[in-house]
Amino acid sequence: MTNAYDWMARSLDTIRRADWYRSVKPLQGRAGAVVTLEGRKVINFASNDYLGLAGDERLIEAAIAATREYGTGSTGSRLLSGHRELHRQLELAIASLKQTEDALVFSSGYLANLGTIAALVGARDLILGDRYNHSSLKNGAILSGATALEWEHNDLDDLRAKLHRHRPHYRRCLITTDTVFSMDGDLCPLPQLLDLAEEFDCMVLADEAHATGVLGETGAGCVEHSHCSGRSLVQIGTLSKALGSLGGYVAGSALLVDYLRNRAATWIYTTGLSPADTAAAIAAIEIIRSEPERRAQLWRNVNYLKQRLQQTRATLLPSEAPILCIGLASPATALAMAKKLKAAGIFAPAIRPPTVPTSRLRFSVMATHELEHCDRVLEVLDV
Ligand SMILES: *Cc1c(COP(=O)(O)O)cnc(C)c1O
């Protein structure tokens, strides 16, 4: 007997044979630089909690207080019954951090990208995206119905050539890019990209997911770091990485935000952010503003681990972010290295195709790591 669902088992077998199979592993206890994985304490180089805020007492207290005051759920979409003063307070805090006129919070960064891209362009339009863009940018392009083309990673000559060739045939054009590439740690050439966009009359959507709270004088992100604050663009980000909460946002002009409130389906037809997540994110932004030393500590750790790795034979991929990757020959080697590290008490994931074109070990550094945590990586890697 066969049934209509059997193909899934065959498909999973193919995935396993390629060493692409993935499964979830439960972490125990509170988020932090040291966590308990499968019952053992491990140094955590696998989290996006760059500033160590997900386990911070102040965020926890803010989430508890908001839950007591408003309840667990926001009970409706923002346009119907789910809008709270707390949401607006968060949006104004994001706009202030990002130095934009306004901001809009979504239930996740993924949904912010899907909804924003599909609202900005449609069937008569063109999207040009960096080949290494995050999945949410690629799927947003598909959802929009626009013609979606990719340019070679960070290659502005290729982007210019594609703009020359294709831009005249479309109504609107949206250029999309990660600002910090999430599986590599390198940055997009934002100033030059914005110049090209002006030259060819294009909009730009920059995804600051791994940059917000991490890069820039005040933690505003790569836009600030690249001296592009105030230039016209659409900024996307997440509340779930350096901000230690859950949710996503769009920051930009008041016109953009007003338009998205009326056109972004992933914002209009979904429940508003929970009071706990909203309050935790507000507390995180306040800490980012008032404690720049946390960001300084993060960069001290990043520079230390990077410098030590550079002294070894390991192939360190180019990075200007707290994401440091060691290139490896195959998915099997990457898995074996990650296993060896885990056995020695270091949690750093193997990142493999199809997420990335080539396999690697990925280390995410946190402000709350100790220098000894970084030393331990070097001891165990033995390269
Ligand atoms: C993590 C990430 C997202 C998704 O954000 P979530 O809030 O986790 O959905 C989007 N874009 C990039 C570049 C990311 O790294």
Side-chain angles (χ1 to χ4, degrees), residues 80-124:
L80 292 178
S81 61
H83 178 65
R84 299 288 199 159
E85 205 45 57
L86 211 53
H87 292 127
R88 196 58 196 143
Q89 208 183 317
L90 173 57
E91 287 168 346
L92 294 175
I94 293 167
S96 163
L97 174 70
K98 302 292 294 185
Q99 301 155 48
T100 56
E101 282 178 7
D102 207 347
L104 187 66
V105 292
F106 287 69
S107 300
S108 76
Y110 207 111
L111 288 170
N113 272 326
L114 293 186
T116 302
I117 294 170
L120 292 178
V121 286
R124 295 161 63 194

mmCIF file of all heavy atoms in Angstrom, residues 80-124:
data_model
loop_
_atom_site.group_PDB
_atom_site.id
_atom_site.type_symbol
_atom_site.label_atom_id
_atom_site.label_comp_id
_atom_site.label_asym_id
_atom_site.label_seq_id
_atom_site.Cartn_x
_atom_site.Cartn_y
_atom_site.Cartn_z
ATOM 1 N N LEU A 80 -7.779 46.377 13.969
ATOM 2 C CA LEU A 80 -9.068 46.125 14.626
ATOM 3 C C LEU A 80 -8.917 46.350 16.131
ATOM 4 O O LEU A 80 -8.932 47.480 16.575
ATOM 5 C CB LEU A 80 -9.580 44.723 14.268
ATOM 6 C CG LEU A 80 -9.984 44.607 12.775
ATOM 7 C CD1 LEU A 80 -10.429 43.201 12.440
ATOM 8 C CD2 LEU A 80 -11.091 45.598 12.425
ATOM 9 N N SER A 81 -8.711 45.304 16.916
ATOM 10 C CA SER A 81 -8.703 45.496 18.374
ATOM 11 C C SER A 81 -7.336 45.316 19.013
ATOM 12 O O SER A 81 -7.198 45.413 20.223
ATOM 13 C CB SER A 81 -9.684 44.504 19.000
ATOM 14 O OG SER A 81 -9.261 43.181 18.687
ATOM 15 N N GLY A 82 -6.293 45.019 18.206
ATOM 16 C CA GLY A 82 -5.013 44.606 18.783
ATOM 17 C C GLY A 82 -3.997 45.721 18.970
ATOM 18 O O GLY A 82 -2.855 45.439 19.310
ATOM 19 N N HIS A 83 -4.381 46.970 18.755
ATOM 20 C CA HIS A 83 -3.402 48.059 18.882
ATOM 21 C C HIS A 83 -3.364 48.611 20.294
ATOM 22 O O HIS A 83 -4.386 48.970 20.865
ATOM 23 C CB HIS A 83 -3.747 49.173 17.904
ATOM 24 C CG HIS A 83 -2.816 50.347 17.995
ATOM 25 N ND1 HIS A 83 -1.485 50.255 17.666
ATOM 26 C CD2 HIS A 83 -3.013 51.621 18.398
ATOM 27 C CE1 HIS A 83 -0.903 51.436 17.861
ATOM 28 N NE2 HIS A 83 -1.809 52.267 18.309
ATOM 29 N N ARG A 84 -2.171 48.668 20.881
ATOM 30 C CA ARG A 84 -1.972 49.198 22.228
ATOM 31 C C ARG A 84 -1.012 50.378 22.163
ATOM 32 O O ARG A 84 -0.156 50.440 21.281
ATOM 33 C CB ARG A 84 -1.353 48.122 23.128
ATOM 34 C CG ARG A 84 -2.212 46.888 23.296
ATOM 35 C CD ARG A 84 -3.398 47.192 24.161
ATOM 36 N NE ARG A 84 -3.990 45.970 24.696
ATOM 37 C CZ ARG A 84 -4.759 45.964 25.773
ATOM 38 N NH1 ARG A 84 -5.001 47.098 26.430
ATOM 39 N NH2 ARG A 84 -5.296 44.845 26.194
ATOM 40 N N GLU A 85 -1.113 51.229 23.166
ATOM 41 C CA GLU A 85 -0.184 52.365 23.285
ATOM 42 C C GLU A 85 1.275 51.864 23.277
ATOM 43 O O GLU A 85 2.163 52.507 22.727
ATOM 44 C CB GLU A 85 -0.498 53.142 24.566
ATOM 45 C CG GLU A 85 -0.088 54.588 24.538
ATOM 46 C CD GLU A 85 -0.463 55.295 23.233
ATOM 47 O OE1 GLU A 85 -1.668 55.308 22.860
ATOM 48 O OE2 GLU A 85 0.458 55.816 22.579
ATOM 49 N N LEU A 86 1.477 50.675 23.882
ATOM 50 C CA LEU A 86 2.811 50.066 23.969
ATOM 51 C C LEU A 86 3.439 49.854 22.576
ATOM 52 O O LEU A 86 4.642 50.039 22.389
ATOM 53 C CB LEU A 86 2.644 48.703 24.658
ATOM 54 C CG LEU A 86 3.750 48.119 25.523
ATOM 55 C CD1 LEU A 86 4.211 49.095 26.591
ATOM 56 C CD2 LEU A 86 3.242 46.817 26.171
ATOM 57 N N HIS A 87 2.598 49.459 21.600
ATOM 58 C CA HIS A 87 3.105 49.253 20.234
ATOM 59 C C HIS A 87 3.637 50.559 19.658
ATOM 60 O O HIS A 87 4.704 50.603 19.041
ATOM 61 C CB HIS A 87 1.991 48.725 19.315
ATOM 62 C CG HIS A 87 1.539 47.340 19.658
ATOM 63 N ND1 HIS A 87 0.227 47.008 19.871
ATOM 64 C CD2 HIS A 87 2.248 46.193 19.824
ATOM 65 C CE1 HIS A 87 0.139 45.706 20.159
ATOM 66 N NE2 HIS A 87 1.347 45.194 20.126
ATOM 67 N N ARG A 88 2.874 51.620 19.874
ATOM 68 C CA ARG A 88 3.278 52.925 19.334
ATOM 69 C C ARG A 88 4.564 53.405 20.007
ATOM 70 O O ARG A 88 5.453 53.959 19.356
ATOM 71 C CB ARG A 88 2.123 53.922 19.526
ATOM 72 C CG ARG A 88 2.246 55.161 18.684
ATOM 73 C CD ARG A 88 2.325 54.818 17.192
ATOM 74 N NE ARG A 88 2.826 55.955 16.431
ATOM 75 C CZ ARG A 88 3.644 55.867 15.386
ATOM 76 N NH1 ARG A 88 4.039 54.691 14.939
ATOM 77 N NH2 ARG A 88 4.037 56.947 14.757
ATOM 78 N N GLN A 89 4.614 53.154 21.322
ATOM 79 C CA GLN A 89 5.813 53.538 22.085
ATOM 80 C C GLN A 89 7.048 52.829 21.511
ATOM 81 O O GLN A 89 8.102 53.447 21.342
ATOM 82 C CB GLN A 89 5.588 53.084 23.525
ATOM 83 C CG GLN A 89 6.294 53.872 24.592
ATOM 84 C CD GLN A 89 6.004 53.237 25.951
ATOM 85 O OE1 GLN A 89 4.875 52.842 26.267
ATOM 86 N NE2 GLN A 89 7.055 53.114 26.757
ATOM 87 N N LEU A 90 6.907 51.555 21.182
ATOM 88 C CA LEU A 90 8.024 50.801 20.597
ATOM 89 C C LEU A 90 8.387 51.360 19.219
ATOM 90 O O LEU A 90 9.565 51.539 18.900
ATOM 91 C CB LEU A 90 7.671 49.308 20.499
ATOM 92 C CG LEU A 90 8.681 48.414 19.756
ATOM 93 C CD1 LEU A 90 10.075 48.501 20.387
ATOM 94 C CD2 LEU A 90 8.206 46.956 19.728
ATOM 95 N N GLU A 91 7.365 51.656 18.411
ATOM 96 C CA GLU A 91 7.642 52.165 17.063
ATOM 97 C C GLU A 91 8.367 53.510 17.120
ATOM 98 O O GLU A 91 9.300 53.757 16.340
ATOM 99 C CB GLU A 91 6.335 52.265 16.275
ATOM 100 C CG GLU A 91 5.856 50.863 15.885
ATOM 101 C CD GLU A 91 4.423 50.788 15.355
ATOM 102 O OE1 GLU A 91 3.668 51.767 15.508
ATOM 103 O OE2 GLU A 91 4.068 49.746 14.803
ATOM 104 N N LEU A 92 7.997 54.347 18.065
ATOM 105 C CA LEU A 92 8.675 55.643 18.189
ATOM 106 C C LEU A 92 10.109 55.447 18.698
ATOM 107 O O LEU A 92 11.027 56.154 18.275
ATOM 108 C CB LEU A 92 7.880 56.579 19.107
ATOM 109 C CG LEU A 92 6.511 56.991 18.532
ATOM 110 C CD1 LEU A 92 5.711 57.822 19.527
ATOM 111 C CD2 LEU A 92 6.659 57.749 17.202
ATOM 112 N N ALA A 93 10.300 54.462 19.582
ATOM 113 C CA ALA A 93 11.659 54.175 20.083
ATOM 114 C C ALA A 93 12.542 53.657 18.946
ATOM 115 O O ALA A 93 13.716 54.027 18.845
ATOM 116 C CB ALA A 93 11.597 53.160 21.219
ATOM 117 N N ILE A 94 11.988 52.803 18.083
ATOM 118 C CA ILE A 94 12.757 52.286 16.933
ATOM 119 C C ILE A 94 13.114 53.439 15.988
ATOM 120 O O ILE A 94 14.263 53.573 15.560
ATOM 121 C CB ILE A 94 11.964 51.192 16.177
ATOM 122 C CG1 ILE A 94 11.809 49.950 17.055
ATOM 123 C CG2 ILE A 94 12.647 50.839 14.855
ATOM 124 C CD1 ILE A 94 10.789 48.943 16.530
ATOM 125 N N ALA A 95 12.122 54.293 15.680
ATOM 126 C CA ALA A 95 12.364 55.426 14.777
ATOM 127 C C ALA A 95 13.455 56.327 15.352
ATOM 128 O O ALA A 95 14.328 56.811 14.625
ATOM 129 C CB ALA A 95 11.073 56.208 14.550
ATOM 130 N N SER A 96 13.439 56.520 16.655
ATOM 131 C CA SER A 96 14.432 57.372 17.290
ATOM 132 C C SER A 96 15.816 56.713 17.210
ATOM 133 O O SER A 96 16.807 57.364 16.857
ATOM 134 C CB SER A 96 14.000 57.629 18.733
ATOM 135 O OG SER A 96 15.065 58.112 19.486
ATOM 136 N N LEU A 97 15.894 55.416 17.502
ATOM 137 C CA LEU A 97 17.174 54.697 17.401
ATOM 138 C C LEU A 97 17.706 54.734 15.969
ATOM 139 O O LEU A 97 18.886 54.971 15.732
ATOM 140 C CB LEU A 97 16.993 53.231 17.849
ATOM 141 C CG LEU A 97 18.203 52.304 17.674
ATOM 142 C CD1 LEU A 97 19.316 52.672 18.649
ATOM 143 C CD2 LEU A 97 17.812 50.834 17.870
ATOM 144 N N LYS A 98 16.818 54.479 14.991
ATOM 145 C CA LYS A 98 17.239 54.399 13.600
ATOM 146 C C LYS A 98 17.351 55.769 12.924
ATOM 147 O O LYS A 98 17.728 55.860 11.764
ATOM 148 C CB LYS A 98 16.255 53.538 12.795
ATOM 149 C CG LYS A 98 16.073 52.110 13.290
ATOM 150 C CD LYS A 98 17.300 51.247 13.117
ATOM 151 C CE LYS A 98 17.637 51.007 11.676
ATOM 152 N NZ LYS A 98 18.774 50.065 11.535
ATOM 153 N N GLN A 99 16.986 56.831 13.651
ATOM 154 C CA GLN A 99 17.023 58.202 13.107
ATOM 155 C C GLN A 99 16.183 58.320 11.832
ATOM 156 O O GLN A 99 16.622 58.885 10.819
ATOM 157 C CB GLN A 99 18.473 58.630 12.855
ATOM 158 C CG GLN A 99 19.355 58.590 14.113
ATOM 159 C CD GLN A 99 20.832 58.417 13.802
ATOM 160 O OE1 GLN A 99 21.362 59.118 12.958
ATOM 161 N NE2 GLN A 99 21.495 57.485 14.475
ATOM 162 N N THR A 100 14.972 57.732 11.890
ATOM 163 C CA THR A 100 14.030 57.849 10.772
ATOM 164 C C THR A 100 12.771 58.561 11.257
ATOM 165 O O THR A 100 12.569 58.723 12.463
ATOM 166 C CB THR A 100 13.631 56.454 10.232
ATOM 167 O OG1 THR A 100 13.089 55.672 11.307
ATOM 168 C CG2 THR A 100 14.829 55.730 9.637
ATOM 169 N N GLU A 101 11.909 58.959 10.321
ATOM 170 C CA GLU A 101 10.682 59.665 10.712
ATOM 171 C C GLU A 101 9.740 58.764 11.489
ATOM 172 O O GLU A 101 9.056 59.182 12.404
ATOM 173 C CB GLU A 101 9.946 60.167 9.447
ATOM 174 C CG GLU A 101 10.553 61.404 8.846
ATOM 175 C CD GLU A 101 9.825 61.832 7.573
ATOM 176 O OE1 GLU A 101 8.767 61.242 7.229
ATOM 177 O OE2 GLU A 101 10.340 62.750 6.927
ATOM 178 N N ASP A 102 9.659 57.487 11.065
ATOM 179 C CA ASP A 102 8.686 56.604 11.705
ATOM 180 C C ASP A 102 9.135 55.152 11.559
ATOM 181 O O ASP A 102 10.141 54.858 10.883
ATOM 182 C CB ASP A 102 7.303 56.806 11.064
ATOM 183 C CG ASP A 102 6.166 56.478 12.045
ATOM 184 O OD1 ASP A 102 6.432 55.876 13.114
ATOM 185 O OD2 ASP A 102 5.017 56.827 11.737
ATOM 186 N N ALA A 103 8.390 54.264 12.201
ATOM 187 C CA ALA A 103 8.673 52.824 12.116
ATOM 188 C C ALA A 103 7.375 52.060 12.333
ATOM 189 O O ALA A 103 6.392 52.611 12.839
ATOM 190 C CB ALA A 103 9.712 52.420 13.158
ATOM 191 N N LEU A 104 7.381 50.789 11.915
ATOM 192 C CA LEU A 104 6.198 49.935 12.045
ATOM 193 C C LEU A 104 6.681 48.561 12.498
ATOM 194 O O LEU A 104 7.615 48.019 11.908
ATOM 195 C CB LEU A 104 5.512 49.828 10.678
ATOM 196 C CG LEU A 104 4.167 49.125 10.587
ATOM 197 C CD1 LEU A 104 3.099 49.905 11.348
ATOM 198 C CD2 LEU A 104 3.748 48.961 9.119
ATOM 199 N N VAL A 105 6.059 48.005 13.570
ATOM 200 C CA VAL A 105 6.513 46.682 14.022
ATOM 201 C C VAL A 105 5.631 45.572 13.462
ATOM 202 O O VAL A 105 4.413 45.695 13.374
ATOM 203 C CB VAL A 105 6.615 46.544 15.566
ATOM 204 C CG1 VAL A 105 7.734 47.400 16.099
ATOM 205 C CG2 VAL A 105 5.312 46.852 16.263
ATOM 206 N N PHE A 106 6.284 44.500 13.052
ATOM 207 C CA PHE A 106 5.649 43.298 12.512
ATOM 208 C C PHE A 106 5.863 42.153 13.510
ATOM 209 O O PHE A 106 6.658 42.267 14.430
ATOM 210 C CB PHE A 106 6.281 42.920 11.161
ATOM 211 C CG PHE A 106 5.910 43.805 10.009
ATOM 212 C CD1 PHE A 106 6.369 45.125 9.947
ATOM 213 C CD2 PHE A 106 5.115 43.331 8.974
ATOM 214 C CE1 PHE A 106 6.041 45.941 8.877
ATOM 215 C CE2 PHE A 106 4.776 44.137 7.894
ATOM 216 C CZ PHE A 106 5.237 45.448 7.847
ATOM 217 N N SER A 107 5.200 41.015 13.259
ATOM 218 C CA SER A 107 5.334 39.875 14.184
ATOM 219 C C SER A 107 6.691 39.193 14.094
ATOM 220 O O SER A 107 7.085 38.466 15.004
ATOM 221 C CB SER A 107 4.238 38.845 13.923
ATOM 222 O OG SER A 107 2.987 39.459 14.110
ATOM 223 N N SER A 108 7.407 39.378 12.981
ATOM 224 C CA SER A 108 8.783 38.883 12.874
ATOM 225 C C SER A 108 9.485 39.656 11.767
ATOM 226 O O SER A 108 8.829 40.313 10.940
ATOM 227 C CB SER A 108 8.823 37.377 12.562
ATOM 228 O OG SER A 108 8.504 37.154 11.210
ATOM 229 N N GLY A 109 10.804 39.558 11.744
ATOM 230 C CA GLY A 109 11.563 40.183 10.666
ATOM 231 C C GLY A 109 11.215 39.547 9.324
ATOM 232 O O GLY A 109 11.158 40.233 8.300
ATOM 233 N N TYR A 110 10.992 38.243 9.350
ATOM 234 C CA TYR A 110 10.634 37.534 8.121
ATOM 235 C C TYR A 110 9.353 38.127 7.534
ATOM 236 O O TYR A 110 9.278 38.435 6.333
ATOM 237 C CB TYR A 110 10.452 36.035 8.432
ATOM 238 C CG TYR A 110 10.729 35.134 7.246
ATOM 239 C CD1 TYR A 110 11.842 34.305 7.224
ATOM 240 C CD2 TYR A 110 9.878 35.127 6.140
ATOM 241 C CE1 TYR A 110 12.101 33.473 6.138
ATOM 242 C CE2 TYR A 110 10.136 34.306 5.053
ATOM 243 C CZ TYR A 110 11.245 33.486 5.056
ATOM 244 O OH TYR A 110 11.509 32.685 3.979
ATOM 245 N N LEU A 111 8.351 38.323 8.393
ATOM 246 C CA LEU A 111 7.075 38.875 7.924
ATOM 247 C C LEU A 111 7.220 40.339 7.503
ATOM 248 O O LEU A 111 6.518 40.795 6.601
ATOM 249 C CB LEU A 111 6.010 38.730 9.010
ATOM 250 C CG LEU A 111 5.535 37.292 9.230
ATOM 251 C CD1 LEU A 111 4.677 37.192 10.481
ATOM 252 C CD2 LEU A 111 4.769 36.792 8.006
ATOM 253 N N ALA A 112 8.115 41.069 8.135
ATOM 254 C CA ALA A 112 8.352 42.466 7.750
ATOM 255 C C ALA A 112 8.871 42.512 6.309
ATOM 256 O O ALA A 112 8.428 43.326 5.492
ATOM 257 C CB ALA A 112 9.345 43.126 8.701
ATOM 258 N N ASN A 113 9.793 41.600 5.974
ATOM 259 C CA ASN A 113 10.325 41.566 4.607
ATOM 260 C C ASN A 113 9.274 41.125 3.600
ATOM 261 O O ASN A 113 9.102 41.756 2.552
ATOM 262 C CB ASN A 113 11.553 40.650 4.537
ATOM 263 C CG ASN A 113 12.837 41.392 4.861
ATOM 264 O OD1 ASN A 113 12.967 42.575 4.542
ATOM 265 N ND2 ASN A 113 13.757 40.727 5.506
ATOM 266 N N LEU A 114 8.559 40.045 3.910
ATOM 267 C CA LEU A 114 7.534 39.562 2.973
ATOM 268 C C LEU A 114 6.518 40.667 2.685
ATOM 269 O O LEU A 114 6.202 40.962 1.525
ATOM 270 C CB LEU A 114 6.780 38.355 3.554
ATOM 271 C CG LEU A 114 7.513 37.035 3.756
ATOM 272 C CD1 LEU A 114 6.515 35.958 4.201
ATOM 273 C CD2 LEU A 114 8.210 36.599 2.477
ATOM 274 N N GLY A 115 6.001 41.272 3.738
ATOM 275 C CA GLY A 115 4.919 42.246 3.592
ATOM 276 C C GLY A 115 5.371 43.531 2.922
ATOM 277 O O GLY A 115 4.643 44.106 2.100
ATOM 278 N N THR A 116 6.570 43.984 3.267
ATOM 279 C CA THR A 116 7.053 45.258 2.729
ATOM 280 C C THR A 116 7.382 45.124 1.238
ATOM 281 O O THR A 116 6.971 45.952 0.421
ATOM 282 C CB THR A 116 8.295 45.735 3.512
ATOM 283 O OG1 THR A 116 7.924 45.847 4.881
ATOM 284 C CG2 THR A 116 8.794 47.065 3.007
ATOM 285 N N ILE A 117 8.095 44.061 0.897
ATOM 286 C CA ILE A 117 8.477 43.885 -0.512
ATOM 287 C C ILE A 117 7.230 43.734 -1.382
ATOM 288 O O ILE A 117 7.094 44.382 -2.425
ATOM 289 C CB ILE A 117 9.430 42.674 -0.664
ATOM 290 C CG1 ILE A 117 10.747 42.958 0.051
ATOM 291 C CG2 ILE A 117 9.674 42.361 -2.145
ATOM 292 C CD1 ILE A 117 11.671 41.765 0.180
ATOM 293 N N ALA A 118 6.286 42.899 -0.914
ATOM 294 C CA ALA A 118 5.080 42.661 -1.718
ATOM 295 C C ALA A 118 4.211 43.918 -1.807
ATOM 296 O O ALA A 118 3.426 44.064 -2.749
ATOM 297 C CB ALA A 118 4.288 41.493 -1.136
ATOM 298 N N ALA A 119 4.350 44.830 -0.842
ATOM 299 C CA ALA A 119 3.571 46.073 -0.900
ATOM 300 C C ALA A 119 4.229 47.108 -1.818
ATOM 301 O O ALA A 119 3.565 47.968 -2.391
ATOM 302 C CB ALA A 119 3.410 46.662 0.510
ATOM 303 N N LEU A 120 5.559 47.048 -1.948
ATOM 304 C CA LEU A 120 6.275 48.091 -2.694
ATOM 305 C C LEU A 120 6.344 47.828 -4.190
ATOM 306 O O LEU A 120 6.440 48.765 -4.989
ATOM 307 C CB LEU A 120 7.702 48.257 -2.147
ATOM 308 C CG LEU A 120 7.819 48.836 -0.735
ATOM 309 C CD1 LEU A 120 9.274 48.906 -0.302
ATOM 310 C CD2 LEU A 120 7.185 50.225 -0.663
ATOM 311 N N VAL A 121 6.359 46.551 -4.575
ATOM 312 C CA VAL A 121 6.468 46.225 -6.007
ATOM 313 C C VAL A 121 5.486 45.124 -6.394
ATOM 314 O O VAL A 121 5.044 44.350 -5.540
ATOM 315 C CB VAL A 121 7.912 45.787 -6.384
ATOM 316 C CG1 VAL A 121 8.858 46.962 -6.421
ATOM 317 C CG2 VAL A 121 8.419 44.714 -5.436
ATOM 318 N N GLY A 122 5.168 45.075 -7.675
ATOM 319 C CA GLY A 122 4.225 44.074 -8.192
ATOM 320 C C GLY A 122 4.625 43.615 -9.579
ATOM 321 O O GLY A 122 5.783 43.775 -10.006
ATOM 322 N N ALA A 123 3.652 43.079 -10.308
ATOM 323 C CA ALA A 123 3.914 42.397 -11.574
ATOM 324 C C ALA A 123 4.634 43.262 -12.619
ATOM 325 O O ALA A 123 5.378 42.736 -13.447
ATOM 326 C CB ALA A 123 2.611 41.866 -12.149
ATOM 327 N N ARG A 124 4.455 44.582 -12.579
ATOM 328 C CA ARG A 124 5.085 45.424 -13.611
ATOM 329 C C ARG A 124 6.481 45.898 -13.211
ATOM 330 O O ARG A 124 7.094 46.712 -13.895
ATOM 331 C CB ARG A 124 4.207 46.651 -13.884
ATOM 332 C CG ARG A 124 2.857 46.293 -14.500
ATOM 333 C CD ARG A 124 1.868 47.422 -14.326
ATOM 334 N NE ARG A 124 2.269 48.643 -15.006
ATOM 335 C CZ ARG A 124 1.723 49.848 -14.788
ATOM 336 N NH1 ARG A 124 0.749 49.970 -13.901
ATOM 337 N NH2 ARG A 124 2.142 50.906 -15.439
#
